[in-house]
Amino acid sequence: MESHIESAVELLLVAVGILTSMLWTSRAAEASPLLLGFKATPNPDVSYFQPLLNDSSGTYSLGFLRVNRDELSLSVLHVPSSVPLWSSATTQSLRWANPTRLLFNGSLVLSDPHTGVYWSTHTTGDRVWLSNTSNLIIDDASTVLWQSFDFPSDTLVENQNFSTAMALISSNGLYSMRLGPDYMGLFAKFSDSGQMYLKHTALEAKADVVPGQPIYMVLQSDGYLGMYQNGSLIPVDVQSFNTFQQNVSGIRRVRIEPDGNLKGYYWTGSGWILDYQAISEPCELPSSCGSYGLCEAGKGCSCLGGCVPPHGRISGDFCGEYDNRFGVLRRTGVELPYKELMGYKRTASYEECEGSCEGNCTCWGVVYSNSSGFCYRLDYPIQTLAAVRDEGKLGYFKVREGVGKKKVGAWVGLLVGAVLALAGVVGLWWYKLRNRGVKGYGEDEGGVGVGPYKDLGAASFRSIQLCER
Ligand SMILES: *[C@@H]1O[C@H](CO)[C@@H](O)[C@H](O)[C@H]1NC(C)=O
Ligand SMILES: *[C@@H]1O[C@H](CO)[C@@H](O)[C@H](O)[C@H]1NC(C)=O
Ligand SMILES: *[C@@H]1O[C@H](CO)[C@@H](O)[C@H](O)[C@H]1NC(C)=O
Ligand SMILES: *[C@@H]1O[C@H](CO)[C@@H](O)[C@H](O)[C@H]1NC(C)=O
Ligand SMILES: *[C@@H]1O[C@H](CO)[C@@H](O)[C@H](O)[C@H]1NC(C)=O
Ligand SMILES: *[C@@H]1O[C@H](CO)[C@@H](O)[C@H](O)[C@H]1NC(C)=O
């Protein structure tokens, strides 16, 4: 009986497999260029990728890629691995449904007759074709009018020119890689103004950077990211990969990942091997444990207090409607992972540092170093802090009311809430005894971890365990 069910299931799986591969190949694209008058609409039966145009080697394909279940992205895929290498930068999300269409009338245009044009190359070309290096090209008889290599998304492939006018942007839109006058920088968009979290300045070992001339970067087949100037073949900087000057047969790519790291890979013929990462220590990533997370080298993530669910992103400040109302979280032994790239001011004491933030509604928190007197101010929602064995590194963080509540299951939440309420009452009483004001906790409804860290002691450690991912 059981074996019958098993074989039936097997049969079903085989059938599904055949069906899937049929869907993959049913509308196999050609390598011949798309010409004037070309039109395509998304096929509702396609589950992942609908190819429209291939390169001559069949390694790359331009087509409709299904994202977030029912949204459409015009993308170039590395076919053997199904990894997208390029996507058109549309400001709105497109629906995987009939009115959405791609046409070529001199421009490659993504549109919807009802809503209008989502994306266009604004060209007057004769044809669209895909090079065997994954570059999507629009040209006429004599010149290249547009190429996808000039508008990278999150990936750079071998020999693609990356200039100061471009940016690699992670698929979630949070992180980017850009070039400065003499450096490569990684930036996080925690607020409207970007925060740099990695800066790699050209080492100028073989050639000096000539001031006033832009640099550009190329991923070299030899296994390094080279920075160059003015078409010179001698690099001003070399970031070498693990396979530097080794003969790897497959192609290479570099991508800014959704966690903010910049990673390099090469293709073996059956898989991608990681051989470069700009940030090798997880706790040095800009937000490895999410909002209000704490990262401890070798141990992983816990929460500063109430962790915020990965999708419950917070933004803004405490001005206006929030009327400067907040809970407060304090911790010792914490540091910013990229403090070298942050502005700071020197204050005589921790209290002075905290005070500079408390009354200012654009400030989310401060991190203070008792030994240096440096006061780092955070003007965006608190991200992940790094745990350090130094009680002289202190942090003060404002918390929106309700932060962290959704993370804990209802029953556990109730239990922890009760424990914390008790701890809060005891803490309040203790505070009053010490004749100190308990500003900011008044409106709090017993949310997890909102309160002075030191007073919660072991109870707060348990709540940290509970919200660990
Ligand atoms: C191509 O189509 C788009 C969208 O319909 C339109 O805005 C554009 O003017 C057309 N271009 C030409 C050259 O017809
Ligand atoms: C790509 O095309 C060029 C000619 O355009 C050719 O020289 C080269 O060998 C091709 N490379 C691959 C990997 O097919
Ligand atoms: C890359 O860009 C630089 C500067 O814009 C230019 O000098 C160089 O020729 C370009 N290289 C390629 C392969 O397009
Ligand atoms: C690299 O590998 C190719 C083929 O795999 C071979 O023809 C070539 O000689 C090798 N080059 C070096 C420097 O090892
Ligand atoms: C709050 O801080 C910002 C940034 O340092 C500053 O520009 C602003 O003037 C401050 N506001 C007040 C009310 O102190
Ligand atoms: C901070 O430094 C002061 C003086 O340098 C010292 O008295 C105090 O104990 C230190 N506090 C911490 C938490 O290390």
Side-chain angles (χ1 to χ4, degrees), residues 328 414-434 436-442 444-460 463:
V328 165
L414 262 176
L415 200 72
V416 172
V419 169
L420 287 185
L422 198 71
V425 167
V426 172
L428 262 168
W429 172 72
W430 191 69
Y431 253 77
K432 280 199 173 135
L433 269 189
R434 298 195 27 161
R436 276 185 54 182
V438 206
K439 237 169 153 185
Y441 309 127
D444 159 47
E445 301 134 19
V448 173
V450 180
Y453 163 72
K454 279 178 203 153
D455 297 345
L456 294 176
S460 100
S463 78

Side-chain angles (χ1 to χ4, degrees), residues 24-55:
W24 260 90
T25 51
S26 63
R27 295 194 45 165
E30 307 263 327
S32 50
L34 308 181
L35 301 175
L36 290 172
F38 171 84
K39 260 198 194 87
T41 52
N43 176 349
D45 298 333
V46 171
S47 58
Y48 183 66
F49 184 70
Q50 180 180 340
L52 302 170
L53 171 69
N54 288 351
D55 81 303

Side-chain angles (χ1 to χ4, degrees), residues 24-210:
W24 260 90
T25 51
S26 63
R27 295 194 45 165
E30 307 263 327
S32 50
L34 308 181
L35 301 175
L36 290 172
F38 171 84
K39 260 198 194 87
T41 52
N43 176 349
D45 298 333
V46 171
S47 58
Y48 183 66
F49 184 70
Q50 180 180 340
L52 302 170
L53 171 69
N54 288 351
D55 81 303
S56 58
S57 66
T59 311
Y60 306 104
S61 185
L62 169 80
F64 295 140
L65 180 69
R66 199 186 269 272
V67 288
N68 303 329
R69 201 171 302 137
D70 59 358
E71 286 172 18
L72 176 150
S73 163
L74 181 68
S75 301
V76 171
L77 225 65
H78 176 252
V79 174
S81 65
S82 298
V83 167
L85 301 178
W86 176 83
S87 293
S88 65
T90 47
T91 47
Q92 274 172 290
S93 56
L94 279 72
R95 284 192 325 120
W96 189 287
N98 202 352
T100 304
R101 65 180 184 197
L102 176 74
L103 62 88
F104 180 62
N105 64 358
S107 302
L108 203 52
V109 180
L110 269 173
S111 70
D112 167 336
H114 307 312
T115 328
V117 174
Y118 289 102
W119 177 83
S120 166
T121 57
H122 301 291
T123 44
T124 48
D126 293 342
R127 56 171 197 163
V128 187
W129 60 286
L130 193 58
S131 83
N132 66 7
T133 57
S134 82
N135 195 7
L136 182 67
I137 296 169
I138 299 178
D139 59 11
D140 59 18
S142 54
T143 41
V144 171
L145 302 169
W146 183 95
Q147 53 180 348
S148 61
F149 273 16
D150 289 341
F151 304 91
S153 27
D154 63 356
T155 299
L156 213 57
V157 300
E158 270 169 70
N159 302 318
Q160 183 175 350
N161 230 352
F162 185 80
S163 76
T164 48
M166 300 174 189
L168 291 189
I169 299 175
S170 64
S171 56
N172 56 12
L174 262 182
Y175 305 104
S176 63
M177 190 267 271
R178 289 169 209 274
L179 297 176
D182 63 350
Y183 63 86
M184 174 193 102
L186 300 183
F187 299 84
K189 206 171 183 255
F190 295 140
S191 65
D192 291 341
S193 55
Q195 167 68 52
M196 195 195 290
Y197 59 90
L198 181 136
K199 183 177 184 180
H200 176 85
T201 304
L203 287 175
E204 303 176 86
K206 290 187 176 149
D208 290 339
V209 172
V210 181

